[in-house]
Every structure is written in C-alpha cells, then in structure tokens.
C-alpha cells in the first residue's frame, strides 16, 4: 500500500476512536489533526475533491468541549469521516464529480450528512466518485481518476482502479485518510469498491429508508452506508 504518514491514531477504527475520545485517552482534535495530515500527504490518490481540515478540527473542538462539560458525545463523537461528494453539505462545494456543478455550495444539508454531524462526526472533506455516481471504476469524474492505494502482488507498480462509484471513499479508508467514509450502493457499486479495497460496510444510519438531497438517480434498492476497515457494529 501507499506509504503515508502513519500516526498510531490513524490506525484506529470508528469504535476505538469514539471510545478513546470519550475515555480521555486522546482528544478529538488530536485525531482530526492526524487524519488531516494523512489527507494532505496523499493528494496523488486524488481521493478528495475538496479537503476541509478546518471543518474537521472545528467539529473535534466541539466534541472535546462537550466532554469537558460532561455532556454526551454521540455515537460518532470525535470520529472524522470522508463525505462522498454526492451529498449536499452546507457551504461546502458539492459537485457529484461533475463540471456542471463545480463551485456550487448548497445552503442546505443532506439527510445523511446531518445525521452524522448530529452524532458527533466531523468532515475531512468531499470524496471523489464517478460523475453523478454513474460508473463502477471511478474513472468518469471531471476531477480526475481516483487511484487505489493498493498495488499488484506480483511486484508491479501500475495504478489500479478503486472500483466505483464510491472509489474516493474506498481509497480514503484503505489508505487511512479517514477511519470511515460514506458510500452508496445501487446493487453493485459499493460492493465493487469494497471488494477491491478489502473493506466492510456499516449500515448504521439510513439503510433503505427515504434519502433527501442526494445527487443521484437512486434506485429503489439504493443503500447509503459507512465504509470502514473495522468489521462489527458501532
């Protein structure tokens, strides 16, 4: 795999980060800064369309303040995540990887992202994908192809596709740029990305319920999930 900066914090999964922050083993800000450093060091993967390091740190500061005040931190408290750029995020460019939407900053928040922020998560940035989620290799994005952090097991160094349409999400999690990331599934897409990057899906928030403000022709079988390298429930 690609050799990135590797603080111990970025090797932890979602539950370990959340529980460690709650126990005071480390701060949410320390976690956010560690993952921000990995994101900055891995631009060659092109996993992120937009990085939002300040948003990640601000959310982390809010979690640390809640802990200091003895307040509940939430099921994702202190966990910074990558947000697939298919979901509207208030004031942050949302493009669905299309040139047509470049520069568009919504004045509203998607159902998926709002639930995650309400649970205490922070945003590391908006992740690359096949344009309008129409693809299975992450090669149709206006912002360029996503490169998998994995390499061939025969010693070859050719760039590999991360699958799609959630290729930015799967590459980011595999490379430890984020402990988890949102992805979408229309029967095959998410399975392709996860299979190519040895990941798990955590069906924690949306399942097959109604989804608001997603830039995709979502099928009736569409699912929104979190991708993670750590199996098991949150």
């Amino acid at each position: 795999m690609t050799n990135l900066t590797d603080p111990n914090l970025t090797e932890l999964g979602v539950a370990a980060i959340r529980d460690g922050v709650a126990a005071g083993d480390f701060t949410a800000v320390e976690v956010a800064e560690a993952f921000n450093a990995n994101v900055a060091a891995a631009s060659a993967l092109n996993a992120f369309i937009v990085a939002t390091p300040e948003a990640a740190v601000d959310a982390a500061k809010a979690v640390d303040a809640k802990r200091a005040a003895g307040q509940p931190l939430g099921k994702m408290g202190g966990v910074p995540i990558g947000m697939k750029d298919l979901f509207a995020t208030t004031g942050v460019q949302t493009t669905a990887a299309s040139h047509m939407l470049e520069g568009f900053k919504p004045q509203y928040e998607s159902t998926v992202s709002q639930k995650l922020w309400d649970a205490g998560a922070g945003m590391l940035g908006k992740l690359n994908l096949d344009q309008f989620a129409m693809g299975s290799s992450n090669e149709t994005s206006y912002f360029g192809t996503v490169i998998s952090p994995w390499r061939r097991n025969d010693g070859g160094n050719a760039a590999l596709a991360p699958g799609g349409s959630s290729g930015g999400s799967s590459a980011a999690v595999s490379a430890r740029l984020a402990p988890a990331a949102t992805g979408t599934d229309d029967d095959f897409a998410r399975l392709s990305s996860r299979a190519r990057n040895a990941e798990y899906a955590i069906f924690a928030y949306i399942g097959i319920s109604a989804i608001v403000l997603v830039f995709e022709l979502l099928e009736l079988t569409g699912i929104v999930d979190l991708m993670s390298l750590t199996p098991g429930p949150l």
Side-chain angles (χ1 to χ4, degrees):
M1 296 182 65
T2 303
N3 184 25
L4 305 174
T5 55
D6 189 26
N8 291 334
L9 291 175
T10 63
E11 292 301 312
L12 299 178
V14 171
I17 291 172
R18 178 200 60 204
D19 295 346
V21 169
D25 296 335
F26 41 79
T27 67
V29 168
E30 288 174 330
V31 175
E33 289 177 341
F35 279 103
N36 279 340
N38 273 11
V39 171
S43 59
L45 298 181
N46 201 33
F48 284 85
I49 293 176
V50 174
T52 58
E54 298 87 358
V57 171
D58 287 347
K61 287 180 178 178
V63 169
D64 287 338
K66 284 186 176 181
R67 183 182 182 279
Q71 299 174 359
L73 305 186
K75 292 183 178 180
M76 292 289 287
V79 181
I81 67 165
M83 181 61 61
K84 185 175 180 179
D85 198 27
L86 193 63
F87 300 98
T89 45
T90 304
V92 179
Q93 178 177 273
T94 300
T95 68
S98 170
H99 184 31
M100 180 175 67
L101 291 169
E102 186 176 17
F104 171 58
K105 296 181 179 181
Q107 299 305 304
Y108 45 83
E109 194 76 25
S110 74
T111 300
V112 173
S113 54
Q114 188 62 62
K115 285 180 176 288
L116 286 162
W117 312 151
D118 291 347
M123 184 168 68
L124 293 161
K126 303 299 290 291
L127 290 158
N128 209 343
L129 64 147
D130 280 302
Q131 191 167 175
F132 288 106
M134 300 298 177
S136 59
S137 63
N138 221 139
E139 296 175 293
T140 68
S141 170
Y142 170 75
F143 299 95
T145 301
V146 174
I147 305 299
S148 171
W150 293 91
R151 293 296 177 263
R152 296 172 61 91
N153 60 10
D154 61 3
N157 198 40
L160 302 178
S165 65
S166 304
S169 301
S170 60
V173 171
S174 291
R176 308 309 295 157
L177 312 187
T182 53
T184 58
D185 178 24
D186 53 359
D187 296 327
F188 173 77
R190 173 182 48 79
L191 300 178
S192 168
S193 297
R194 283 169 44 215
R196 297 189 192 196
N197 292 278
E199 295 166 0
Y200 300 89
I202 305 172
F203 299 98
Y205 288 90
I206 297 299
I208 56 174
S209 61
I211 297 166
V212 179
L213 304 174
V214 177
F215 287 113
E216 183 179 14
L217 299 177
L218 199 65
E219 300 174 6
L220 291 177
T221 54
I223 292 174
V224 179
D225 60 275
L226 284 179
M227 293 182 177
S228 171
L229 289 179
T230 306
L234 294 177

